[in-house]
């Protein structure tokens, strides 16, 4: 959700103006579900908590952080490229 929030930050907070209110809500909801733990109808319950190990949490955190960094980095590069292309003489500022 960090990538979605990064896309909507220039428009401000509220969703009516294209802001990041809804993506942030989805991110906080996912975090709340993750912190609340597995329920009766979860995959953890179905698999008998076989993947409920400390290394799984660390691996998921590292993968999520790496994915968010890639998305935000690519977006920043794409925005820099379009800003340079918008210059009338093609020069970078």
């Amino acid at each position: 959700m960090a990538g979605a929030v990064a896309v909507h930050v220039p428009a401000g907070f509220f969703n009516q103006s294209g802001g990041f209110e809804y993506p942030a809500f989805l991110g906080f909801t996912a975090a709340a579900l993750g912190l609340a733990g597995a329920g009766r109808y979860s995959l953890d319950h179905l698999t008998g908590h076989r993947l409920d190990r400390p290394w799984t949490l660390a691996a998921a955190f590292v993968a999520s952080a790496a994915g968010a960094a890639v998305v935000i980095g690519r977006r920043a590069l794409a925005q820099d490229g379009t800003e340079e292309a918008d210059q009338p003489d093609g020069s970078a500022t």
Side-chain angles (χ1 to χ4, degrees):
M1 294 313 304
V5 170
V7 169
H8 293 275
V9 163
F13 176 73
F14 293 105
N15 194 37
Q16 291 177 333
S17 61
F20 64 92
E21 177 183 13
Y22 187 64
F25 168 75
L26 292 178
F28 286 128
T29 302
L33 288 173
L35 291 173
R40 185 183 330 177
Y41 303 110
S42 68
L43 288 175
D44 282 338
H45 183 73
L46 182 67
T47 60
H49 294 274
R50 284 186 215 117
L51 297 175
D52 191 12
R53 306 284 185 262
W55 66 267
T56 309
L57 175 66
F61 179 76
V62 168
S64 297
V70 167
V71 168
I72 292 171
R74 287 181 131 188
R75 176 155 173 79
L77 287 175
Q79 285 180 337
D80 288 344
T82 57
E83 289 174 1
E84 289 176 4
D86 289 341
Q87 298 292 329
D89 61 356
S91 65
T93 55

